[in-house]
Amino acid sequence: MQPINLLLFVSITTYIRVSWAAPNEHCPPLGPVLPPPTHASSSPAVASSVATLQRFLDVYTAQFNHSAVAIGLKSIHENDYILQYAYSPPNRDARGVQEVNSDTVFRIASVSKIFPVLGLLRLHGVSLDDPVTKYVPELLALNGQAREQSPIWTIPWDEITLGALASHLSGIGADMIFDYTPYGNFTPYGFPPVNKSKLLGCSGGLGLPECDRTVFFERFGERAPVQLPFSPNAVYSNAGFAILGFAFESATNRSFRDFVQHEVWAPLNMTSTFATKPDDSVGFIPTDDIWWNASLGYAEPGGGYYSSINDLTRFGEAILRNEVGLSATQTRKWLKPLSQTSSLGTLIGAPWEIYRISNVTTDGRLIELYTKDGGLITYNSVFALIPDYDLVATILVAAPLVENEATAIDTRIILSKLLESLLPGIEEAGKDEAALTHGGTYRDELTNSSITLTLDDGPGFNISSWIVRGVDVIGSWSGLSFIPNPVPPTDSPLRFRLYPTTVQTDSHASWRSVAQRATPETIALIESQLLPPQSLCVTWGQLDRATYMLQAQDHFVFTLDSQGKATAVELVAYAVSMTRQEE
């Protein structure tokens, strides 16, 4: 194998404005590659995949005798669900509902963590970069409870921000109320006999009273730090979200429970969402379950809430529509990673668990899921936003702790199967709609200019023909470079693809084109000599590079009618506007 000329490679990727891509040759910008479909449920491809998935779910849930399952997948553009599924087991507790549906209430556990972060983001004058001690100065006194006054045992509270707590970067301990000691004798496992003076005397489970704020400030200082703030690895902390609740209450002089009930849930008509245990008759309760009744006390904002498929779907839709009290910019900022984990496929946001998948669409592109998982012994949940398609997915499960019943892994398996089954069909539905709204030929007879946009197995639109003032732009583009011999050593023809951006109004939409040349074989050859995966996927650094009279060569602006259908496109740098041709 011949070594790659790195100088040539760097020059090409920096200046020629040609993306060399992922192993399948495509390297679209991260995010939607076409407008999300607005009528996905009417697509034959989606209907077929929904039917297949429902058959799978029927078989999958049939193994459960005590486990309830509720699932919803919905587009913000449609009134009805794409998928709505519920399974009622033959055995269930008589206290709760006997038939599960999308209004059935479950405990949502750590999905609750989304709400205190949202509450703080909505406060004017409060920043996630603020130190937590600005709002909860009592934290500083906790170090007086530490085993020793050294960094091994004390927590640098004045270095921890609200954002660090929200994104699990504070380094503080996981929690306090799930200490083993109230739940049995653990000396057979090597632990020492219990020092009764160290017992909390509370937890909220197994008949013990809940732990309140007073207990937290009397005892949490005994917990040693796990990491220093902003260390490379996030450390999951339930306690951090209790502290965020304290901070909100200090900043507003209002209980967080009152805020979330009246300022978030009520405006969204989330009438089946509760901060404390609702009437048993509205929820699913596994046989002889004790965790339905458990109160988490001070930890309520981090894991104590109850909700339903319908309510969480309303909430997810409101986030994607920018209707939760945040501006569109604030929402986009919220749906971003803030830390990483040791998994290549998992990033951490505030409080999102962001999963990155690249194996569900024909183009193999990266798709991000903004999720929050929850688990409270017998209740497991996952709430997921898929911004690329404007989708909300929710899975709620309840089951006793017995063999062969549903557990947390089942929620993840169901989510994976849902995505694997439905996203290809939704992708196809998006392409069918994009062909109608944006595809085809655009022409300007006066300047002898035309451009044709087609769809194939790749991402976005393929620019199959591009003529401006009689010049073949695709054929001539390789000659435009600021360095000698810029073309990579390949006979593969230059190709252009077109992608939407977030810049748009009701009447106009800004798109950007990406040039690509390398074949999958060429990419594999170069990637084999580079350590980071997908090193050649550098589209993020290539957009807007080539300009003419300060206008970007890759900039396209569509004119849209009242139905969102393109009627014309302007090639900004070329000073040409073309009218869409009727077929």
Side-chain angles (χ1 to χ4, degrees):
M1 181 182 294
Q2 294 297 315
I4 300 299
N5 184 324
L6 287 184
L7 178 60
L8 174 62
F9 166 63
V10 171
S11 299
I12 292 168
T13 56
T14 303
Y15 293 107
I16 195 175
R17 304 161 300 281
V18 176
S19 173
W20 269 38
N24 64 358
E25 85 181 46
H26 299 300
C27 177
L30 186 64
V33 295
L34 289 171
T38 57
H39 301 91
S41 60
S42 62
S43 164
V46 173
S48 175
S49 58
V50 166
T52 300
L53 179 60
Q54 287 176 326
R55 289 191 293 271
F56 164 81
L57 292 171
D58 287 341
V59 173
Y60 192 86
T61 57
Q63 65 182 306
F64 301 137
N65 291 315
H66 300 269
S67 307
V69 179
I71 305 168
L73 177 71
K74 191 173 184 298
S75 164
I76 69 171
H77 303 288
E78 298 186 271
N79 293 327
D80 295 330
Y81 282 85
I82 294 173
L83 172 74
Q84 201 170 17
Y85 187 88
Y87 172 73
S88 304
N91 302 297
R92 54 256 186 187
D93 197 291
R95 291 172 292 167
V97 301
Q98 301 302 296
E99 291 296 326
V100 176
N101 59 39
S102 294
D103 284 321
T104 300
V105 174
F106 293 72
R107 298 206 73 151
I108 62 172
S110 285
V111 174
S112 307
K113 289 179 169 62
I114 300 171
F115 295 104
V117 178
L118 173 61
L120 290 167
L121 290 173
R122 286 178 52 162
L123 294 182
H124 296 291
V126 173
S127 169
L128 292 188
D129 289 329
D130 290 339
V132 65
T133 51
K134 177 179 178 179
Y135 305 101
V136 194
E138 307 97 300
L139 292 168
L140 293 169
L142 289 178
N143 284 333
Q145 304 165 16
R147 173 174 155 177
E148 295 176 11
Q149 295 303 301
S150 85
I152 300 298
W153 303 103
T154 60
I155 293 172
W157 289 107
D158 51 357
E159 298 175 8
I160 295 173
T161 65
L162 298 175
L165 292 167
S167 56
H168 302 288
L169 286 172
S170 66
I172 69 171
D175 49 44
M176 186 171 72
I177 60 175
F178 290 108
D179 190 271
Y180 283 177
T181 47
Y183 303 117
N185 176 19
F186 289 90
T187 57
Y189 299 93
F191 291 102
V194 170
N195 179 345
K196 292 185 178 180
S197 69
K198 293 292 186 180
L199 291 175
L200 284 175
C202 61
S203 76
L206 295 181
L208 293 174
E210 66 184 48
C211 295
D212 60 18
R213 178 180 171 132
T214 299
V215 172
F216 177 86
F217 282 102
E218 287 176 348
R219 300 296 301 275
F220 192 76
E222 299 173 35
R223 308 268 4 245
V226 183
Q227 297 272 16
L228 291 175
F230 301 103
S231 291
N233 190 63
V235 175
Y236 196 94
S237 175
N238 291 315
F241 288 81
I243 297 170
L244 291 180
F246 301 157
F248 180 93
E249 294 175 341
S250 174
T252 62
N253 197 30
R254 180 182 188 181
S255 78
F256 185 73
R257 181 187 294 180
D258 181 74
F259 165 80
V260 75
Q261 287 175 331
H262 293 93
E263 306 296 335
V264 180
W265 299 341
L268 296 177
N269 196 31
M270 295 172 65
T271 55
S272 295
T273 301
F274 306 92
T276 57
K277 186 189 80 67
D279 190 274
D280 293 347
S281 63
V282 303
F284 181 84
I285 306 173
T287 304
D288 299 326
D289 184 74
I290 62 173
W291 294 99
W292 170 258
N293 296 331
S295 173
L296 299 191
Y298 75 82
E300 177 185 293
Y305 298 152
Y306 301 71
S307 193
S308 67
I309 292 291
N310 280 338
D311 274 14
L312 289 174
T313 299
R314 290 187 190 100
F315 179 58
E317 289 184 285
I319 294 174
L320 294 176
R321 289 176 175 150
N322 310 308
E323 295 175 350
V324 291
L326 303 179
S327 69
T329 299
Q330 288 174 309
T331 300
R332 290 194 299 272
K333 183 178 180 181
W334 187 22
L335 298 180
K336 285 287 179 292
L338 296 173
S339 183
Q340 58 280 327
T341 70
S342 48
S343 165
L344 289 176
T346 306
L347 302 173
I348 303 300
W352 311 108
E353 290 127 21
I354 305 163
Y355 299 119
R356 316 186 93 195
I357 58 176
S358 59
N359 54 356
V360 295
T361 56
T362 57
D363 54 30
R365 74 178 186 279
L366 190 65
I367 297 172
E368 290 188 332
L369 317 176
Y370 282 77
T371 79
K372 188 69 198 78
D373 289 0
L376 184 61
I377 315 300
T378 54
Y379 288 87
N380 290 286
S381 53
V382 60
F383 172 80
L385 304 177
I386 313 174
D388 283 13
Y389 299 98
D390 285 344
L391 296 175
V392 181
T394 308
I395 300 167
L396 302 176
V397 171
L401 296 178
V402 298
E403 192 174 356
N404 298 323
E405 295 298 327
T407 65
I409 194 63
D410 290 290
T411 64
R412 300 294 299 279
I413 290 172
I414 291 171
L415 178 63
S416 294
K417 190 66 177 181
L418 183 152
L419 298 172
E420 179 184 60
S421 300
L422 299 187
L423 284 192
I426 293 170
E427 173 89 351
E428 185 175 335
K431 289 188 175 185
D432 290 342
E433 291 188 22
L436 295 174
T437 59
H438 291 77
T441 297
Y442 297 74
R443 190 180 308 279
D444 178 52
E445 299 290 354
L446 185 63
T447 61
N448 189 20
S449 301
S450 65
I451 192 167
T452 300
L453 309 179
T454 58
L455 291 162
D456 52 26
D457 286 340
F461 276 106
N462 175 43
I463 303 179
S464 57
S465 173
W466 186 353
I467 307 295
V468 177
R469 296 183 178 88
V471 176
D472 178 1
V473 173
I474 298 174
S476 64
W477 182 245
S478 296
L480 286 175
S481 178
F482 302 122
I483 59 173
N485 301 318
V487 181
T490 176
D491 294 329
S492 180
L494 192 65
R495 302 171 302 286
F496 284 85
R497 303 196 78 87
L498 189 61
Y499 304 106
T501 74
T502 54
V503 183
Q504 55 187 328
T505 66
D506 290 340
S507 58
H508 292 85
S510 178
W511 291 49
R512 295 285 174 148
S513 66
V514 172
Q516 57 192 63
R517 175 182 294 279
T519 64
E521 294 75 19
T522 302
I523 293 167
L525 171 65
I526 299 177
E527 291 276 9
S528 68
Q529 301 186 60
L530 303 173
L531 286 178
Q534 296 187 334
S535 292
L536 302 186
C537 187
V538 292
T539 297
W540 69 273
Q542 303 304 318
L543 298 176
D544 202 61
R545 285 302 186 95
T547 61
Y548 185 78
M549 292 192 294
L550 298 184
Q551 300 303 311
Q553 181 271 344
D554 61 10
H555 193 190
F556 292 61
V557 177
F558 287 98
T559 299
L560 309 175
D561 64 17
S562 60
Q563 304 301 312
K565 185 176 181 180
T567 59
V569 65
E570 178 186 0
L571 280 60
V572 180
Y574 295 93
V576 169
S577 292
M578 306 181 201
T579 302
R580 191 177 183 196
Q581 305 299 293
E582 295 295 334
E583 299 201 7

